[in-house]
Amino acid sequence: MLSHGVYSSGTTEGRQKFVPFTRHSAQTTLETFTLSAAYRSRVYPIREGGKILEFIYSGNQFKTKGGLIAGTATTHYYASEEFRIKQERTKSFTCSPYEVISAGDYKQSTYCHLLLGLFFSHDVEFITSAFVYGIVQAFRSFEELWRDLCNDIRHGTLSSRIKVPKMREAVLEIITANQSLASRIEGICEEVEVMDWFGLIPKLWPNAKYVYSIMTGSMQPYLKRLRHYANGLPLVSGDYGSSESWIGVNVDPSSPPESVTFAVVPTFSYFEFIPLYRHKHSCGSSHDAAADDDFVEDKPIPLSKVKVGQEYEIALTTFTGLYRCRLGDVVEVGGFHNGTPKLNFICRRKLILTVNIDKNTEKDLQAVVEKASYILQSQTNNNAELVDFTSYADLTTQPGCYVIFWEIKGDAHDHVLQSCSTEMDAAFVDYGYVVSRKTSSIGPLELCIVEKGTFKKILDCFVANGATLGQFKTPRCTNNPLLLNILHACTLKIFRSTAYA
Ligand code: AMP
């Protein structure tokens, strides 16, 4: 039975998809979470009846003209019976009541998640969010909010910044004054603040066994900050799914996020795999293989025929009625688990940066930014750090060029940022880009430094347009005029690369 409609986050491509969501969708979410909890507990056993500090947020649900309830997948799930059943089955309970999750104002919800997480700090067995961005965002807020949080714990009060009446009521019903806990938290914060919050998580949550969240793909850039907060606490990569369907479960929780694979659960949907070949390879019976911008495709094959080492795009035929729906992700088969393929998430398929014959994906951009961010860190003695980034191909100038926006924390001299800009330009290895740069048919890369809080403004812009924090992914490339306006208005300095000069 079709019961709901779903908006996907749509943040990767800047537009929201509208896909159906049914009772079956909520049940597969329950299955995914209980399955992955079982695998995790083999490696990192947790106490029964313990708490989870979950940075989760649901958005608004509303009715379509046809009478379906619409909202994001996570919104439906948190409102469903399955969310409650999952907690009972896994014997782990979220610190925050539903009124906090569904308050509809992510800043206020984050405050309450933190407050309740601290209030139950001795019972917290692990910390989680759907995407790791959510955890990093929450701890960045914590750096600003900790004094107010301590004050509330000391007096059993709730800051006046929390305005949503139902949430206020629900939180005040739970917390009571706890002087000694407030003093303990205050002591820890004073100690770790001077170390730029290094090791904050295990200090505040001494019984936490791990941090669990999606850390792959576009979430990888946040790992550095998370590792800083977590100081060696295991990071367990979350499972692989989309608003259309769940796909796979992380059955090797001890694998580092950089090499994690997801075992496909064949009953979630009917999975087909479109073989992808880079740079117009010959591909077997490829006389009718369709050439795409970035890859050459072969005919889709069923799950039982996939090969280790091959890259594919997944097509889903779902129980909600989607027929051969392409997911837009590139995955690679890394091995098998009891006969089902284990997938490495490679990147979003769509090319994100292209001016003419050059082709660069999200993964290429990520690698280039990572290289330059080492320069930023090493030449500023770890004082400066990349907070977030995005990019676009500026075609309004002649010749066009790549523009990369960075928000940084800490201080960096202009000459360091200048080298970062040049480093990024030189680090794109795509042949089309290198040739175009050498022949000046693409201009020098521009690094724009934006003011502190710019990426929060971008998040707010998405949230104002109906996205939820839970499913938010910073777009790594954007043509969205609203975002470009924010980015340009917040640009403080521009550094043009001198590579290929
Ligand atoms: P949404 O559009 O909000 O439904 O998000 C689905 C998309 O999020 C997928 O198509 C992937 O691009 C991304 N995603 C989901 N799970 C993972 C994962 N474990 N690793 C990397 N990316 C993921």
Side-chain angles (χ1 to χ4, degrees), residues 111-125:
Y111 186 92
C112 294
H113 282 319
L114 286 165
L115 182 66
L116 293 163
L118 290 168
F119 185 72
F120 293 115
S121 51
H122 272 278
D123 304 322
V124 168
E125 291 290 307

PDB file of all heavy atoms in Angstrom, residues 111-125:
ATOM      1  N   TYR A 111      20.636  21.757  20.418  1.00  0.00           N
ATOM      2  CA  TYR A 111      20.889  22.146  21.812  1.00  0.00           C
ATOM      3  C   TYR A 111      20.307  21.080  22.759  1.00  0.00           C
ATOM      4  O   TYR A 111      20.976  20.619  23.684  1.00  0.00           O
ATOM      5  CB  TYR A 111      20.260  23.513  22.101  1.00  0.00           C
ATOM      6  CG  TYR A 111      20.610  24.040  23.488  1.00  0.00           C
ATOM      7  CD1 TYR A 111      21.716  24.855  23.675  1.00  0.00           C
ATOM      8  CD2 TYR A 111      19.832  23.698  24.595  1.00  0.00           C
ATOM      9  CE1 TYR A 111      22.048  25.319  24.942  1.00  0.00           C
ATOM     10  CE2 TYR A 111      20.154  24.151  25.865  1.00  0.00           C
ATOM     11  CZ  TYR A 111      21.266  24.967  26.029  1.00  0.00           C
ATOM     12  OH  TYR A 111      21.600  25.421  27.295  1.00  0.00           O
ATOM     13  N   CYS A 112      19.069  20.682  22.482  1.00  0.00           N
ATOM     14  CA  CYS A 112      18.421  19.716  23.380  1.00  0.00           C
ATOM     15  C   CYS A 112      19.052  18.327  23.276  1.00  0.00           C
ATOM     16  O   CYS A 112      19.197  17.631  24.285  1.00  0.00           O
ATOM     17  CB  CYS A 112      16.923  19.652  23.103  1.00  0.00           C
ATOM     18  SG  CYS A 112      16.108  21.197  23.527  1.00  0.00           S
ATOM     19  N   HIS A 113      19.453  17.922  22.060  1.00  0.00           N
ATOM     20  CA  HIS A 113      20.157  16.635  21.930  1.00  0.00           C
ATOM     21  C   HIS A 113      21.413  16.667  22.797  1.00  0.00           C
ATOM     22  O   HIS A 113      21.711  15.714  23.527  1.00  0.00           O
ATOM     23  CB  HIS A 113      20.597  16.402  20.481  1.00  0.00           C
ATOM     24  CG  HIS A 113      19.507  15.957  19.548  1.00  0.00           C
ATOM     25  ND1 HIS A 113      18.548  15.034  19.896  1.00  0.00           N
ATOM     26  CD2 HIS A 113      19.233  16.280  18.259  1.00  0.00           C
ATOM     27  CE1 HIS A 113      17.739  14.819  18.857  1.00  0.00           C
ATOM     28  NE2 HIS A 113      18.128  15.581  17.852  1.00  0.00           N
ATOM     29  N   LEU A 114      22.158  17.768  22.706  1.00  0.00           N
ATOM     30  CA  LEU A 114      23.400  17.875  23.483  1.00  0.00           C
ATOM     31  C   LEU A 114      23.099  17.853  24.978  1.00  0.00           C
ATOM     32  O   LEU A 114      23.758  17.147  25.748  1.00  0.00           O
ATOM     33  CB  LEU A 114      24.150  19.164  23.114  1.00  0.00           C
ATOM     34  CG  LEU A 114      24.866  19.166  21.759  1.00  0.00           C
ATOM     35  CD1 LEU A 114      25.256  20.582  21.350  1.00  0.00           C
ATOM     36  CD2 LEU A 114      26.109  18.274  21.788  1.00  0.00           C
ATOM     37  N   LEU A 115      22.094  18.620  25.360  1.00  0.00           N
ATOM     38  CA  LEU A 115      21.757  18.709  26.783  1.00  0.00           C
ATOM     39  C   LEU A 115      21.386  17.334  27.344  1.00  0.00           C
ATOM     40  O   LEU A 115      21.897  16.910  28.393  1.00  0.00           O
ATOM     41  CB  LEU A 115      20.591  19.700  26.966  1.00  0.00           C
ATOM     42  CG  LEU A 115      20.150  19.937  28.405  1.00  0.00           C
ATOM     43  CD1 LEU A 115      21.259  20.629  29.197  1.00  0.00           C
ATOM     44  CD2 LEU A 115      18.879  20.797  28.455  1.00  0.00           C
ATOM     45  N   LEU A 116      20.539  16.624  26.623  1.00  0.00           N
ATOM     46  CA  LEU A 116      20.096  15.321  27.122  1.00  0.00           C
ATOM     47  C   LEU A 116      21.239  14.300  27.044  1.00  0.00           C
ATOM     48  O   LEU A 116      21.384  13.454  27.922  1.00  0.00           O
ATOM     49  CB  LEU A 116      18.870  14.847  26.343  1.00  0.00           C
ATOM     50  CG  LEU A 116      17.638  15.730  26.605  1.00  0.00           C
ATOM     51  CD1 LEU A 116      16.569  15.520  25.553  1.00  0.00           C
ATOM     52  CD2 LEU A 116      17.070  15.477  27.999  1.00  0.00           C
ATOM     53  N   GLY A 117      22.058  14.416  25.992  1.00  0.00           N
ATOM     54  CA  GLY A 117      23.227  13.537  25.881  1.00  0.00           C
ATOM     55  C   GLY A 117      24.165  13.725  27.061  1.00  0.00           C
ATOM     56  O   GLY A 117      24.751  12.767  27.587  1.00  0.00           O
ATOM     57  N   LEU A 118      24.310  14.970  27.501  1.00  0.00           N
ATOM     58  CA  LEU A 118      25.178  15.240  28.655  1.00  0.00           C
ATOM     59  C   LEU A 118      24.502  14.785  29.946  1.00  0.00           C
ATOM     60  O   LEU A 118      25.146  14.226  30.837  1.00  0.00           O
ATOM     61  CB  LEU A 118      25.477  16.744  28.742  1.00  0.00           C
ATOM     62  CG  LEU A 118      26.384  17.295  27.646  1.00  0.00           C
ATOM     63  CD1 LEU A 118      26.375  18.817  27.665  1.00  0.00           C
ATOM     64  CD2 LEU A 118      27.808  16.765  27.796  1.00  0.00           C
ATOM     65  N   PHE A 119      23.211  15.013  30.021  1.00  0.00           N
ATOM     66  CA  PHE A 119      22.470  14.641  31.224  1.00  0.00           C
ATOM     67  C   PHE A 119      22.574  13.127  31.475  1.00  0.00           C
ATOM     68  O   PHE A 119      22.728  12.670  32.601  1.00  0.00           O
ATOM     69  CB  PHE A 119      21.005  15.073  31.082  1.00  0.00           C
ATOM     70  CG  PHE A 119      20.196  14.833  32.315  1.00  0.00           C
ATOM     71  CD1 PHE A 119      20.389  15.614  33.450  1.00  0.00           C
ATOM     72  CD2 PHE A 119      19.258  13.808  32.358  1.00  0.00           C
ATOM     73  CE1 PHE A 119      19.651  15.373  34.604  1.00  0.00           C
ATOM     74  CE2 PHE A 119      18.523  13.568  33.501  1.00  0.00           C
ATOM     75  CZ  PHE A 119      18.719  14.351  34.631  1.00  0.00           C
ATOM     76  N   PHE A 120      22.517  12.351  30.357  1.00  0.00           N
ATOM     77  CA  PHE A 120      22.617  10.886  30.480  1.00  0.00           C
ATOM     78  C   PHE A 120      24.039  10.410  30.159  1.00  0.00           C
ATOM     79  O   PHE A 120      24.218   9.276  29.718  1.00  0.00           O
ATOM     80  CB  PHE A 120      21.645  10.217  29.502  1.00  0.00           C
ATOM     81  CG  PHE A 120      20.200  10.433  29.831  1.00  0.00           C
ATOM     82  CD1 PHE A 120      19.364  11.157  28.990  1.00  0.00           C
ATOM     83  CD2 PHE A 120      19.659   9.898  30.994  1.00  0.00           C
ATOM     84  CE1 PHE A 120      18.022  11.338  29.284  1.00  0.00           C
ATOM     85  CE2 PHE A 120      18.300  10.076  31.298  1.00  0.00           C
ATOM     86  CZ  PHE A 120      17.489  10.812  30.449  1.00  0.00           C
ATOM     87  N   SER A 121      25.050  11.263  30.360  1.00  0.00           N
ATOM     88  CA  SER A 121      26.374  10.947  29.802  1.00  0.00           C
ATOM     89  C   SER A 121      26.929   9.596  30.244  1.00  0.00           C
ATOM     90  O   SER A 121      27.602   8.935  29.467  1.00  0.00           O
ATOM     91  CB  SER A 121      27.364  12.067  30.059  1.00  0.00           C
ATOM     92  OG  SER A 121      27.368  12.430  31.393  1.00  0.00           O
ATOM     93  N   HIS A 122      26.611   9.155  31.449  1.00  0.00           N
ATOM     94  CA  HIS A 122      27.170   7.873  31.894  1.00  0.00           C
ATOM     95  C   HIS A 122      26.497   6.677  31.244  1.00  0.00           C
ATOM     96  O   HIS A 122      27.044   5.584  31.229  1.00  0.00           O
ATOM     97  CB  HIS A 122      27.141   7.769  33.426  1.00  0.00           C
ATOM     98  CG  HIS A 122      28.391   8.355  34.002  1.00  0.00           C
ATOM     99  ND1 HIS A 122      29.573   7.655  34.080  1.00  0.00           N
ATOM    100  CD2 HIS A 122      28.655   9.602  34.456  1.00  0.00           C
ATOM    101  CE1 HIS A 122      30.512   8.433  34.571  1.00  0.00           C
ATOM    102  NE2 HIS A 122      29.987   9.634  34.812  1.00  0.00           N
ATOM    103  N   ASP A 123      25.307   6.897  30.708  1.00  0.00           N
ATOM    104  CA  ASP A 123      24.557   5.780  30.099  1.00  0.00           C
ATOM    105  C   ASP A 123      24.755   5.696  28.593  1.00  0.00           C
ATOM    106  O   ASP A 123      24.288   4.744  27.965  1.00  0.00           O
ATOM    107  CB  ASP A 123      23.045   5.961  30.347  1.00  0.00           C
ATOM    108  CG  ASP A 123      22.741   6.079  31.825  1.00  0.00           C
ATOM    109  OD1 ASP A 123      23.394   5.363  32.601  1.00  0.00           O
ATOM    110  OD2 ASP A 123      21.877   6.898  32.194  1.00  0.00           O
ATOM    111  N   VAL A 124      25.419   6.722  28.006  1.00  0.00           N
ATOM    112  CA  VAL A 124      25.520   6.742  26.540  1.00  0.00           C
ATOM    113  C   VAL A 124      26.523   5.680  26.073  1.00  0.00           C
ATOM    114  O   VAL A 124      27.681   5.676  26.457  1.00  0.00           O
ATOM    115  CB  VAL A 124      25.916   8.147  26.024  1.00  0.00           C
ATOM    116  CG1 VAL A 124      26.299   8.113  24.542  1.00  0.00           C
ATOM    117  CG2 VAL A 124      24.761   9.127  26.238  1.00  0.00           C
ATOM    118  N   GLU A 125      26.017   4.771  25.209  1.00  0.00           N
ATOM    119  CA  GLU A 125      26.841   3.649  24.731  1.00  0.00           C
ATOM    120  C   GLU A 125      27.459   3.954  23.368  1.00  0.00           C
ATOM    121  O   GLU A 125      28.491   3.411  23.018  1.00  0.00           O
ATOM    122  CB  GLU A 125      25.983   2.386  24.630  1.00  0.00           C
ATOM    123  CG  GLU A 125      25.561   1.842  25.983  1.00  0.00           C
ATOM    124  CD  GLU A 125      26.729   1.249  26.761  1.00  0.00           C
ATOM    125  OE1 GLU A 125      27.437   0.392  26.220  1.00  0.00           O
ATOM    126  OE2 GLU A 125      26.931   1.682  27.917  1.00  0.00           O
TER     127      GLU A 125
END
